[in-house]
Amino acid sequence: MTTDFQNARAALGARLRELRAEAGLTGKDLAAKLGWQPSKVSRLEHGKQTASAEDLAAWAEATGVASQTADLESRRRGLESQQRSWRRQLVAGHRSVQDRYVVEYQRTATVRGYEATVIPGLFQTPDYARHLLIQNAKLMRSPRDTEEAVHARMKRQEVLYQVGKLFRVLIWEGALHALICTPPVMAAQLDRLIGLIGMSTVELGIVPLGAPLPLTPKHGFWIFDEGRVVVETINTELQYEAPEDVELYGRVWDALNASAAHGAPAHRLIARARSVFGSS
């Protein structure tokens, strides 16, 4: 059972628990309505058992939200795949993906990441995230649950304030200038980045446009606890757990980090980009 599987199953369980609570039912109440043992309700809610499609449909019906069946089934289908199509994951919207990331980051102590074209979700402001999610929903022709997805993405950021976590993140300088939103929103986003410098849980590096590079990675990637790599392409999320793959991405990250600006030099690069967008 992979870490991704466990995280996704726990996120599905949390969503089931949320639907039950919103319906005003206890675990015993729901079990009685479904004709199940209370222990089954508990196992599903705590991610200890994998729900079937029939379980999810019955749960949605019993909690009075049959309309949520498609969302729950979307979450179930993506549990075990190491190559996960965004189209399949987003069939019911973005929130389910964001919920899975919340669990994933809560269970991770150390993350190393690199992004070349966008400010990472872990550091995004709500307005910046909102623009990205709307654009992606339009591209993927998926349901627009934008506000729920923004809320879940912001919840993920709570890990930045947890003792014992460390997020070592590199951003290509070009991403500081990529105007995927309005100038005021971008200005506020860059202010947010500046505010992260110096946090005990964050090591932020900016790879300057003119820095000599020993290699040119073609995409962003994230390394979780030195045991797993996540790569997002336009249509697919890829997961790599083989030691040789993790080690390879680790070497790439190290090379980029050696060329990156940190501390005061990183602050200056962000401030330079910030000055282009005027007052927020």
Side-chain angles (χ1 to χ4, degrees), residues 3 24 27 32 46 91 93 114 123 130 132 170 184 189 202 233 237 242:
T3 300
H46 290 88
V91 67
Y114 169 71
F123 299 156
R130 188 173 291 109
L132 286 175
L170 304 174
Q189 176 60 72
V202 176
T233 70
E237 179 188 60

Side-chain angles (χ1 to χ4, degrees), residues 205-231:
I206 305 298
V207 182
L209 290 172
L213 295 176
L215 46 83
T216 55
K218 305 301 188 291
H219 53 73
F221 58 89
W222 293 80
I223 306 171
F224 292 84
D225 282 335
E226 302 303 316
R228 184 166 58 97
V229 179
V230 175
V231 176

